Amino acid sequence: MNSVVQTAQQGGKADKRPALPFVLAAPAVFALLVFLVLPVAVLIGESLTGPGGALEPYVKFLSSGYNQRVIWRTLQIAGATTLLALALGLIVASALARIGGTLGQILLFLCVFPLLTSALVRSFAWMVILGRQGLVNTGLQGIGLIDAPLSLLFNPTAMVIVTPPAMVIGLVYLFTPLAILTLKGAIEAIAPQVREAATTLGATPIRLFTQVTLPLLVPSLIVSAVLIFTGSLAAFATARLLGSERHMILPTLLHEKVMVSFDWAAGSVIAAVMLVLSFAAITLFNALGRRANRMVD
């Protein structure tokens, strides 16, 4: 009889245990709903209140040639930042993984130390470095390569593909530490026996990197790319300080509509477009990651 009672009690406890994770997760879910989902829902609802219909504000915004150029410039700068930051992060992370030890930890700290500084301060620092009387111009004039200071901050012809270059430089400096942190751990997680086996089978350093190391880093590269690309889409401070009115991107356009023109309807449309672009980028990077994994398999 006692065994039956104990079995029933244990069964009742077992029935209650599956609900425990939901109870523990309830505060976090509530916070996400209140502070993330609800504001986004209100924002999207505000953008769907055009007098000509729900989609009228979006049609008006997307049909403007100026807004199309702003969107393209935003994607262009975010894409260039992502590629450059990933390349630099991969190189530095590989070097740090090879060094290891105390020296490697010190160098890693120096690489990620800028993360402890405000993005505003780092952007101001690049203004000093790239200004007409900055370190770059002063150094080039000092060694006789140029006679007059170069316009590096707001020169629309300084780069053929991406303008302005100062904004891209600032964003790369801003997000490269994230790539280093993400990739260093992934590189160190690759067993040395894998590289040794590939080398024993005759793999050259280039083939070792392209056919062994790089495929194993695809998940970490995807995570880094998502963080960098979505962060670049919303990087207002760097774009505001290192760009100009001629180089408007979506974050600075949003600031102008809301804080200067007080056009909250247009601002909500821009914010919704940025949100859609971020989700589209995440979906695209995930698809590329799955495709890369299938090719490796």
Side-chain angles (χ1 to χ4, degrees):
M1 183 67 179
N2 292 334
S3 62
V4 174
V5 173
Q6 291 176 357
T7 303
Q9 292 176 349
Q10 291 176 357
K13 293 180 180 179
D15 293 337
K16 294 180 181 179
R17 285 175 185 172
L20 182 61
F22 297 98
V23 174
L24 295 177
V29 173
F30 178 77
L32 287 174
L33 291 174
V34 173
F35 297 108
L36 181 63
V37 177
L38 182 60
V40 171
V42 172
L43 174 70
I44 295 177
E46 181 70 20
S47 67
L48 298 174
T49 57
L55 298 179
E56 186 266 341
Y58 292 94
V59 174
K60 181 180 178 181
F61 178 80
L62 296 175
S63 61
S64 170
Y66 176 78
N67 293 334
Q68 292 174 6
R69 289 192 296 272
V70 170
I71 294 175
W72 170 243
R73 186 181 299 115
T74 304
L75 295 175
Q76 195 180 32
I77 290 175
T81 301
T82 303
L83 292 176
L84 292 174
L86 284 180
L88 291 175
L90 185 58
I91 294 172
V92 176
S94 300
L96 292 177
R98 283 179 175 273
I99 295 173
T102 304
L103 179 59
Q105 295 298 323
I106 294 174
L107 294 176
L108 177 62
F109 173 76
L110 294 177
C111 289
V112 301
F113 179 77
L115 292 176
L116 304 178
T117 309
S118 169
L120 190 65
V121 175
R122 284 180 276 175
S123 299
F124 270 121
W126 278 109
M127 292 183 68
V128 174
I129 294 172
L130 299 176
R132 297 185 66 86
Q133 303 299 325
L135 296 177
V136 174
N137 277 314
T138 303
L140 292 177
Q141 286 180 299
I143 60 179
L145 290 180
I146 59 175
D147 297 326
L150 300 175
S151 180
L152 300 175
L153 285 177
F154 311 121
N155 185 6
T157 60
M159 288 185 68
V160 177
I161 299 176
V162 181
T163 58
M167 190 187 301
V168 177
I169 293 172
L171 290 174
V172 169
Y173 176 71
L174 193 68
F175 292 109
T176 297
L178 293 178
I180 295 173
L181 283 176
T182 306
L183 295 174
K184 181 178 180 295
I187 294 173
E188 291 177 341
I190 300 175
Q193 294 81 0
V194 175
R195 298 192 183 91
E196 293 175 0
T199 304
T200 303
L201 294 173
T204 61
I206 296 178
R207 294 189 65 183
L208 177 63
F209 175 76
T210 57
Q211 297 184 12
V212 178
T213 304
L214 190 60
L216 295 175
L217 294 178
V218 167
S220 298
L221 288 172
I222 295 299
V223 172
S224 300
V226 169
L227 292 174
I228 297 169
F229 191 89
T230 55
S232 300
L233 284 178
F236 166 74
T238 302
R240 189 72 179 86
L241 293 175
L242 300 179
S244 67
E245 297 297 330
R246 294 174 298 174
H247 306 122
M248 190 78 68
I249 62 174
L250 287 175
T252 52
L253 182 61
L254 173 62
H255 175 267
E256 180 183 278
K257 293 296 183 182
V258 174
M259 303 304 295
V260 178
S261 302
F262 298 102
D263 189 351
W264 290 92
S268 61
V269 171
I270 297 171
V273 169
M274 293 173 61
L275 185 64
V276 170
L277 290 177
S278 297
F279 278 114
I282 294 173
T283 304
L284 176 61
F285 285 125
N286 287 334
L288 292 175
R290 288 193 296 269
R291 183 175 179 179
N293 289 331
R294 286 197 299 267
M295 293 175 63
V296 173
D297 296 337

